[in-house]
Amino acid sequence: MDTYRRQIKVDNNLLLRLFLTSRESPFRRGQRTVHVSFKTMFVGGVHELLHEMQKSFTELGLMKVDCIEMSWIESIFYFWFRKGTSSLDVLLNREIAELEGYLYFKRKSDYVQHPISIDGLKGLWKLMNQEGENSPDLIFTPYGGKLNDFSESEIPFPHRAGNIFLIHYGLN
């Protein structure tokens, strides 16, 4: 089966984001390597998540030790703020340095309505491996899930019309 074209329907309580970063290889001096990681949020318990992941993404090999159970507000701290941040007061702080640890960065997003072709993925990989001081970071965020349970008249979200995911580009 062509894994690039596989479409999987997952539990609406699961958000699975893909992060691609390119850095200098620790093993081959002067060459770059692409790091792939997944950040997931699941509204439910660890056992439900493990069952869903085993059913849909066995190749990731997720185990209970890889999971952290927390409240929704704790997940905001986990994903967006520096380690050790736990006071709700930080949510009122608008300083950029608090959000990502970077003073200077550029971000852009595009909405994708069709799967990326194999040639497109190869071009993306080539871009990620280009030499340079600042290479791009990419985040793929799927759309759908719980949002699809609400009509547009109930909860406005103009970006959902036909978009299957968001691709977020970043340079630090």
Side-chain angles (χ1 to χ4, degrees), residues 97-109:
E98 285 293 328
L99 292 176
E100 294 195 37
Y102 300 110
L103 289 177
Y104 305 103
F105 58 84
K106 183 170 184 169
R107 301 287 189 254
K108 182 185 184 316
S109 296

Side-chain angles (χ1 to χ4, degrees), residues 38-103:
F38 296 90
K39 293 212 178 176
T40 302
M41 185 164 33
F42 182 73
V43 180
V46 170
H47 295 292
E48 294 170 89
L49 172 63
L50 291 173
H51 175 74
E52 180 64 32
M53 295 299 284
Q54 188 61 36
K55 183 175 73 174
S56 302
F57 297 102
T58 56
E59 59 272 24
L60 295 180
L62 186 70
M63 299 182 341
K64 187 175 181 177
V65 69
D66 300 317
C67 302
I68 303 168
E69 283 191 278
M70 62 184 70
S71 69
W72 177 82
I73 197 66
E74 288 171 326
S75 75
I76 299 300
F77 291 115
Y78 180 81
F79 283 114
W80 291 107
F81 296 99
R82 294 180 180 157
K83 298 277 187 243
T85 302
S86 61
S87 169
L88 291 175
D89 292 337
V90 75
L91 296 175
L92 301 173
N93 187 345
R94 297 287 189 168
E95 292 181 24
I96 292 172
E98 285 293 328
L99 292 176
E100 294 195 37
Y102 300 110
L103 289 177

Side-chain angles (χ1 to χ4, degrees), residues 109-121:
S109 296
D110 282 321
Y111 300 97
V112 181
Q113 294 188 340
H114 304 285
I116 299 173
S117 69
I118 298 294
D119 287 337
L121 290 173

Side-chain angles (χ1 to χ4, degrees), residues 122-142:
K122 288 178 182 176
L124 184 62
W125 211 255
K126 185 178 177 180
L127 173 70
M128 294 294 291
N129 279 309
Q130 284 181 352
E131 295 298 322
E133 190 175 317
N134 294 321
S135 62
D137 292 332
L138 301 174
I139 304 170
F140 294 83
T141 303

